[in-house]
Amino acid sequence: MTEITQSFSDHEQIPLKDYAEKAYLDYSMYVVLDRALPHVGDGLKPVQRRIVYAMSELGLSATSKHKKSARTVGDVIGKFHPHGDSACYEAMVLMAQPFAFRYPLVDGQGNFGSPDDPKSFAAMRYTESRLTAYAKTLLRELGMGTVDWGPNFDGTMKEPLMLPSRLPNVLLNGSTGIAVGMSTDIPPHNLREVVSASIRLLEHPKSTVSELCEHIKGPDYPTDAEIITPPEDLMAMYETGNGSVKMRAVWEKENAEIVITALPHQVSPAKVLEQIAAQMQAKKLPMVEDLRDESDHENPTRLVIVPRSNRVDTGQLMNHLFATTDLEKNYRANLNIIGINGKPQLLNLRDLLKQWLKFRMETVTRRLNHRLDQVVDRLHILEGLLVAYLNIDEVIHIIRHEDKPKPVLMKRFGITGTQAEAILELKLRHLAKLEEMKIRDEQDLLSDERAELEKILGSQARLKTLIKKELLEDAEVFGDERRSVLVRRDAAQALRQEDLVPSEPVTIVLSRSGWVRSAKGHEIDPTTLNYKAGDEYQHSARGRSNEQAVFLDSRGKAFSLSAHTLPSARSLGEPLSSRFTIQAGESFLYTLAGPADRKIILASSFGYGFVTELGNLHSRVKAGKAALTVPQGARPVMPVGFDPGASNTVICATTDGYLLAFPLGDVPELSKGKGNKLINIPPKRLKAGEESMVGLTVMAEKQEILVWAGQRYLRMSARDIEHFRGERAHRGRKLPRGFQRVTHIELARD
């Protein structure tokens, strides 16, 4: 027991809190720096960098033969990246997919996935790969002393800590990654635009983001879909390093069909068709008859939508699909990278390009210094060789007769050990007379090169000119036209539920007990329908299935439902009380239907009313919407719809047989309220309940009205009405004998 206690006391004791905190922070920094975020220098994550380097070590250049991907993955995970082979292979596949990378780094042969299913690639034992020509921009200067090297995971070999990218690859191919507490989403860009902006910043270091955006108009994804984000939003994204990009599919009309020719970045055509088909099955897309996928090698994206008829508004339909499917998609932009100081940071466009240019200037300076050292060393050796050729016989004599010729040569000719070593390593065939001329020619060339290198290294302006020249050279070789067109478009808006329902004629039937149902067509006589015991017909309205059915209660409140949701007239219907909350003692009196802009007159039995639009009565609230203010003791009269016209006349009738006609223009138009007085009824008679306005109608010039008194009616034409004309709010005139107890008034139907 004592021995065990002693062994524990020999170990350092750390509080669990401190240990867990340190362990988590170490893990976090590993994920941030060595897994998820790209470096500003080459724009690559460690796994991508190791794949590219391993392929270059295998000699898999753009001009070599393809090799099995398994060979590459084996080298990567065996030498540089000790992780799972499937994760490594997937990273390599991504760099080979032309629909994922704007400028692919790997040239794949075999099944490397498709836009429909990017992860449907074949196993690595089947596919073959090599580097693309563009990857040369990352590797060309690798052996020129341009980057630092570090040991691999087991310390048996060296690997580059960075690739000497000749182009700002971090912007060209973009990157996505999720680290701990941070993420990155850098959209891809067009090579020519980025090079142009880099040169602008190189020549004018004080250039602003807005000036750089004159060159970089926006991201450029590997798809022909449109970028519809407004320029001001793109500018804000580049100013802050944060934002979003919205892409929309490209479509055109061929005959009566809609053909989609380009989809947003990484959107699957199969998924889009599935989303549209799901809406069709749910009967939420009645204007579409058929869907087809006609994509092939000549047309990589060709999705055909067949509208039900020529009357379908294709623009409106596509707007709905943009709002409800992946035909329009948002992409986050978050320019979070590892800067040249080795720390993660969020940069705007100017700072990002500035850091890359600093990296590039350091890289080129290291390359030039490395080359200058090589030139100086070679000139030094050539001087020694020239001494040897000028004294060839003596040199041969010393080599033949001395046991240790190196120090003798150094002493005799005053040369360095390096020069003496070079002389001793000469082959016999190089002792020919012509070699002296070759040495002098090489000396001249190298002297000129040294002078040029020293000039460039001694002048910041010359260094910038060299970088600019190399950027333009690469832009000429690898640059291409923009693929993602920048277009200003209105925001997509999904169609309302009513617009997605087939437009069929229906008759809304309301019973006295507040039960409602919907019958197909306008020819039905609702009074002949069956009603439950103790119930009977109350009111009906003709409309269409894609419109709102409005119900007016005895307190002037309006309630509405989509007409297509009402039960069929084959049944007894259902009570409106199950859909709405109505106060005790109140009841539903009238139903209305029609387009939202349909004009109607709402009025109370006290003779007050106003004109409004039917849309003002639409309500999604269960408790209804206050529409008509009904005075105490009054009730709404039957609402009247009408078609606007200059010669329209409003005709009001009271229970005591008074009739008043006046121009419709005298009635105010309101959204809700009590309205103005339409016909004057003595207040005493109103309060006593002896007289009230029984109804009203709106009559056009050639129409006739029917005034009912029980079972009898009086037909009146526009000419007959002239006798009852007056000003709004007047008493009106008495109807002839026999019609002094009016029950209701309506337009005569032909």
Side-chain angles (χ1 to χ4, degrees), residues 26-222:
D26 289 347
Y27 167 73
S28 301
M29 289 310 295
Y30 163 73
V31 173
V32 170
L33 299 176
D34 287 336
R35 187 186 294 180
L37 264 58
H39 194 282
V40 68
D42 56 11
L44 299 176
K45 301 177 190 178
V47 64
Q48 295 171 328
R49 188 178 299 121
R50 287 162 176 165
I51 289 168
V52 171
Y53 175 64
M55 291 182 79
S56 72
E57 288 295 286
L58 283 169
L60 297 177
S61 68
T63 54
S64 70
K65 286 180 69 176
H66 292 81
K67 266 188 185 170
K68 285 287 183 187
S69 300
R71 172 72 187 278
T72 301
V73 172
D75 262 36
V76 173
I77 64 176
K79 293 179 178 178
F80 310 112
H81 197 71
H83 293 268
D85 59 345
S86 59
C88 179
Y89 179 51
E90 194 169 322
M92 190 182 88
V93 167
L94 189 71
M95 293 192 290
Q97 291 176 336
F99 50 85
F101 261 48
R102 182 66 179 82
Y103 299 96
L105 297 172
V106 176
D107 175 17
Q109 189 168 274
N111 178 10
F112 274 80
S114 67
D116 256 343
D117 187 1
K119 295 197 174 182
S120 62
F121 48 84
M124 57 185 170
R125 62 182 177 274
Y126 299 120
T127 61
E128 297 178 340
S129 54
R130 64 183 180 187
L131 292 170
T132 60
Y134 172 80
K136 191 163 60 174
T137 63
L138 298 168
L139 297 161
R140 188 183 298 174
E141 299 172 1
L142 190 58
M144 300 181 183
T146 50
V147 293
D148 294 327
W149 295 71
N152 68 339
F153 65 90
D154 60 1
T156 56
M157 57 180 65
K158 299 283 188 182
E159 64 172 315
L161 304 180
M162 190 70 47
L163 294 182
S165 177
R166 290 168 58 96
L167 292 166
N169 186 60
V170 68
L171 276 178
L172 300 183
N173 273 321
S175 185
T176 59
I178 300 172
V180 178
M182 64 180 70
S183 65
T184 185
D185 291 278
I186 305 171
H189 291 78
N190 184 269
L191 194 151
R192 288 177 183 167
E193 290 181 7
V194 172
V195 165
S196 180
S198 302
I199 292 171
R200 171 77 174 262
L201 191 58
L202 193 65
E203 294 176 339
H204 306 283
K206 292 185 178 178
S207 296
T208 62
V209 172
S210 60
E211 288 171 338
L212 295 176
C213 285
E214 292 173 13
H215 304 272
I216 299 177
K217 307 292 184 185
D220 186 23
Y221 291 89

